[in-house]
């Protein structure tokens, strides 16, 4: 059984920073990539950033230059550093892990099989 857990969400003022963390644990063969997705009320889930086992990354245009995804020192751990946060970044943020090969540049939520429960990020204006 696999468990994906996020942490680090919260309330922050516009212009502030937050770091989200995620760890996948349990009976995992090999995780080939991890990613962050977000879903705002009334909107579809969207990709925020993904990172492959080889450290290839992809970012949504809306977060480029503000967010950084990185793999942690512990295995199957990923972080999302978020700076210059905007009210439009408000959403539930989900961590996901991929156990099958995928192309980072064309990655979508369909490439990720394991999902966390999500953590809420609220950016006040």
């Amino acid at each position: 059984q696999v468990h994906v857990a996020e942490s680090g969400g919260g309330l922050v003022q516009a212009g502030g920073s937050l770091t989200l963390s995620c760890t996948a644990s349990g009976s995992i063969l090999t995780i080939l990539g991890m990613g962050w997705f977000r879903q705002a009320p009334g909107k579809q889930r969207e990709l925020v950033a993904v990172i492959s086992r080889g450290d290839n990354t992809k970012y949504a245009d809306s977060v480029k230059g503000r967010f950084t995804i990185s793999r942690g020192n512990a295995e199957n751990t990923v972080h999302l550093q978020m700076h210059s946060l905007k009210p439009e970044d408000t959403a539930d943020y989900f961590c996901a892990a991929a156990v099958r090969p995928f192309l980072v540049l064309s990655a979508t939520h369909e490439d990720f099989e394991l999902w966390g429960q999500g953590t809420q990020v609220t950016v006040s204006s």
Side-chain angles (χ1 to χ4, degrees), residues 39-109:
Q39 187 167 17
K43 295 188 176 181
Q44 290 186 334
R45 187 171 298 191
E46 63 173 351
L47 180 148
V48 176
V50 301
I51 186 168
S52 70
R53 192 175 175 86
D55 288 334
N56 295 311
T57 58
K58 173 183 177 178
Y59 294 91
D61 288 342
S62 60
V63 307
K64 282 180 181 176
R66 300 189 298 123
F67 291 13
T68 302
I69 189 170
S70 61
R71 294 192 296 118
N73 292 329
E75 195 161 357
N76 299 331
T77 298
V78 65
H79 306 291
L80 183 70
Q81 295 177 298
M82 305 185 293
H83 300 291
S84 302
L85 283 161
K86 305 174 181 179
E88 50 264 44
D89 293 318
T90 295
D92 290 324
Y93 283 69
F94 298 88
C95 177
V99 298
R100 295 177 299 179
F102 69 101
L103 296 176
V104 171
L105 291 181
S106 60
T108 71
H109 69 279

Side-chain angles (χ1 to χ4, degrees), residues 101-124:
F102 69 101
L103 296 176
V104 171
L105 291 181
S106 60
T108 71
H109 69 279
E110 295 179 343
D111 292 306
F112 294 81
E113 298 86 3
L114 309 174
W115 290 83
Q117 294 297 309
T119 185
Q120 189 172 52
V121 172
T122 302
V123 184
S124 63

Side-chain angles (χ1 to χ4, degrees), residues 10-23:
L11 172 65
V12 64
Q13 288 188 330
S17 299
L18 277 177
T19 297
L20 305 182
S21 297
C22 171
T23 298

